[in-house]
């Protein structure tokens, strides 16, 4: 019933194969908990008009957060992942978990008050972090750019203050979920690549997020790049990593060495948009380096779509041209026959949508709905 179409009891009997009495009992229970509501206006099929029912996206609220290296975003959404109110701040993840999470709690509280809601209506909290996260515990694991966060109990800290279940994942994973939910539901296999200060990817396979055994799948930023970049020192301690060559931080550093004003990935994009030839050339080559790594993934994983997101995605065709050049020249023809490489359609809101969807899918799983009815 979450597809937006109103259905009558008779429709549901035909769809489910259940007895009419069973469907009626279930509908009554769902109506009582407001998971569904009567649709506006009866449905007529020639006889007496029948009441139709539709999923109630306003039954509960979700608190969603996308925490980046240099920014933080918080939002309140409904069960359709529609953003009701949003707040953002230029707070660095390096300021530590206490300060960042306290800001997040204050932001959530303020957004609920702003929209006229309370914590009692919240079914869960979704959070994306810019580093490796253990899926089972929701705790960061040795994050290279998050001092003080290693092993920190993020779900415990937020859950105690907000009184709701908390789901935490890597920021690129939630971006992949958000993009697939909003624009890619027809694609079973997708790679979402985040190009910001660092580089990472999220994998969708058979319409589901693939986390791997420990939740570390998709960390392409620390795959070794081309031989020409072998001496580039990465924040992880190794040399030659893709992130050390083509990440926004690395590109900004190289532009500074050329005498240009660039401290962040946004500065790199600004220079590209201004037509600076050095920045354009650098971003185009970064696209080629990224494309070489993605070409291996295309041959191995065979996605239908590669979506480019993150701050550097705003560099536009200069970056995409480099990525496509390497992917199409170095991948097998069969793997690229119908491959689409594009920029995220959600832009900077993709992380918020993905964090909300994590909670929504958990809240509306069959077992969870059963528990709510009993």
């Amino acid at each position: 019933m979450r597809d937006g179409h109103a259905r009558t009891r008779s429709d549901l009997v035909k769809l489910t194969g259940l007895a009419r009495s069973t469907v009626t009992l279930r509908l009554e229970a769902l109506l009582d908990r407001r998971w569904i509501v009567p649709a506006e206006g009866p449905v007529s099929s020639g006889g007496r008009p029948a009441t139709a029912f539709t999923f109630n996206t306003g039954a509960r609220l979700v608190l969603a957060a996308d925490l980046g290296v240099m920014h933080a975003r918080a939002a309140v959404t409904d069960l359709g992942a529609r953003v009701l109110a949003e707040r953002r701040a230029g707070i660095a993840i390096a300021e530590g978990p206490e300060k960042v999470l306290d800001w997040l709690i204050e932001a959530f509280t303020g957004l609920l008050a702003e929209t006229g809601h309370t914590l009692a209506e919240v079914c869960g909290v979704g959070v994306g972090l810019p580093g490796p996260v253990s899926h089972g515990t929701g705790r960061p694991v040795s994050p290279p750019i998050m001092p003080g966060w290693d092993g920190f109990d993020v779900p415990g800290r937020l859950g105690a203050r907000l009184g709701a279940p908390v789901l935490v994942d890597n920021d690129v994973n939630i971006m992949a979920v958000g993009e697939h939910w909003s624009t890619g539901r027809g694609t079973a296999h997708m790679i979402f690549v985040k190009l910001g200060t660092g580089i990472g990817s999220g994998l969708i396979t058979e319409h589901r997020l693939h986390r791997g055994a420990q939740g570390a799948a998709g960390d392409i930023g620390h795959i070794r790049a081309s031989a020409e970049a072998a001496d580039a020192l990465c924040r992880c301690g190794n040399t030659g990593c893709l992130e050390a060559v083509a990440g926004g931080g690395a590109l900004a550093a190289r532009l500074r060495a050329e005498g240009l004003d660039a401290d962040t990935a946004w500065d790199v994009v600004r220079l590209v948009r201004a037509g600076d030839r050095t920045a354009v050339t650098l971003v185009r080559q970064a696209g080629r380096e990224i494309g070489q790594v993605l070409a291996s993934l295309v041959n191995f994983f065979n996605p239908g779509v590669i979506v480019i997101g993150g701050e550097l995605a705003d560099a536009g065709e200069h970056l995409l041209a480099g990525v496509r050049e390497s992917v199409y020249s170095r991948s097998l023809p069969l793997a690229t026959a119908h491959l689409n490489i594009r920029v995220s359609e959600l832009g900077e809101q993709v992380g918020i949508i993905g964090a909300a969807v994590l909670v929504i899918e958990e809240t509306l799983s069959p077992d969870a709905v059963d528990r709510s009815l009993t």
Side-chain angles (χ1 to χ4, degrees), residues 8 12 24 61 108 126 151 204 216 234 249 253 261 291 296 308:
T8 65
L12 293 168
T24 297
L61 297 174
F108 283 148
I204 300 292
C234 184
D261 180 19
S296 298
I308 308 297

Side-chain angles (χ1 to χ4, degrees), residues 281-305:
T281 301
L282 195 62
V283 164
R284 180 70 175 254
Q285 181 56 33
R288 295 190 186 100
E289 296 282 357
I290 294 162
Q292 288 187 36
V293 170
L294 290 178
S296 298
L297 295 184
V298 167
N299 287 332
F300 176 77
F301 182 61
N302 191 200
V305 177

Side-chain angles (χ1 to χ4, degrees), residues 10-369:
S10 296
D11 293 333
L12 293 168
V13 167
K14 292 176 182 178
L15 284 169
T16 63
L18 298 171
R20 186 177 181 86
S21 59
T22 303
V23 169
T24 297
L25 286 172
R26 186 68 170 187
L27 288 175
E28 288 176 353
L30 293 171
L31 283 164
D32 184 60
R33 298 294 294 169
R34 299 195 72 252
W35 288 121
I36 62 172
V37 291
E40 293 184 6
V43 176
S44 176
S45 58
R48 187 174 66 180
T51 300
F53 304 93
T54 186
F55 174 66
N56 180 17
T57 58
R60 308 286 189 277
L61 297 174
V62 176
L63 302 179
D66 176 19
L67 303 179
V69 177
M70 299 300 295
H71 73 268
R73 295 188 181 92
V76 177
T77 82
D78 63 14
L79 292 179
R82 181 172 65 95
V83 175
L84 306 179
E86 185 176 357
R87 187 174 296 183
R88 63 188 66 193
I91 183 170
I93 201 73
E95 294 191 32
E98 289 85 0
K99 183 171 182 178
V100 174
L101 296 181
D102 282 350
W103 175 87
L104 194 56
I105 292 166
E106 181 181 347
F108 283 148
T109 304
L111 289 170
L112 286 170
E114 178 183 321
T115 55
H117 296 288
T118 67
L119 283 171
E121 301 170 73
V122 174
C123 63
V125 183
V127 181
L129 295 176
V133 175
S134 171
H135 176 59
T137 66
R139 297 178 183 230
V141 180
S142 302
I145 57 173
M146 298 171 61
W149 288 81
D150 185 26
F152 191 88
D153 187 8
V154 178
R157 176 93 171 197
L158 293 177
R161 298 282 295 276
L162 298 172
V166 180
L167 299 178
V168 184
D169 210 330
N170 175 270
D171 60 349
V172 193
N173 279 346
I174 68 168
M175 290 177 175
V177 169
E179 189 74 29
H180 185 263
W181 164 278
S182 300
T183 68
R185 296 197 203 187
T187 302
H189 306 281
M190 183 182 84
I191 299 177
F192 186 97
V193 184
K194 179 194 175 187
L195 304 177
T197 301
I199 295 176
S201 73
L203 309 177
I204 300 292
T205 179
E206 297 293 344
H207 299 285
R208 298 175 65 87
L209 178 66
H210 175 75
R211 292 187 174 89
Q214 306 299 331
D219 196 355
I220 64 170
H222 301 289
I223 293 176
R224 193 171 183 84
S226 62
E228 291 80 358
D231 296 330
L233 181 63
C234 184
R235 291 176 297 183
C236 72
N238 289 322
T239 57
C241 294
L242 180 63
E243 185 174 300
V245 177
L251 298 182
R254 290 164 70 181
L255 289 173
R256 286 197 304 275
E258 295 291 331
L260 296 170
D261 180 19
D263 294 316
T264 67
W266 289 118
D267 293 328
V268 176
V269 171
R270 172 179 54 79
L271 289 168
V272 169
R273 287 180 167 180
D276 184 270
R277 293 180 61 182
T278 301
V280 169
T281 301
L282 195 62
V283 164
R284 180 70 175 254
Q285 181 56 33
R288 295 190 186 100
E289 296 282 357
I290 294 162
Q292 288 187 36
V293 170
L294 290 178
S296 298
L297 295 184
V298 167
N299 287 332
F300 176 77
F301 182 61
N302 191 200
V305 177
I306 296 177
V307 180
I308 308 297
E311 295 96 324
L312 287 180
D314 287 339
E317 286 301 318
H318 296 295
L319 179 72
L320 277 181
V323 171
R324 289 170 174 154
E325 178 184 330
S326 291
V327 169
Y328 288 120
S329 65
R330 299 178 67 89
S331 301
L332 295 173
L334 180 60
T336 58
H338 302 288
L339 177 64
N340 180 21
I341 303 175
R342 63 171 176 83
V343 170
S344 168
E345 295 181 23
L346 296 182
E348 63 182 17
Q349 205 170 53
V350 65
I352 286 291
I353 300 299
V357 171
L358 283 183
V359 175
I360 292 167
E361 292 298 306
E362 178 70 20
T363 300
L364 298 177
S365 68
D367 288 345
V369 173

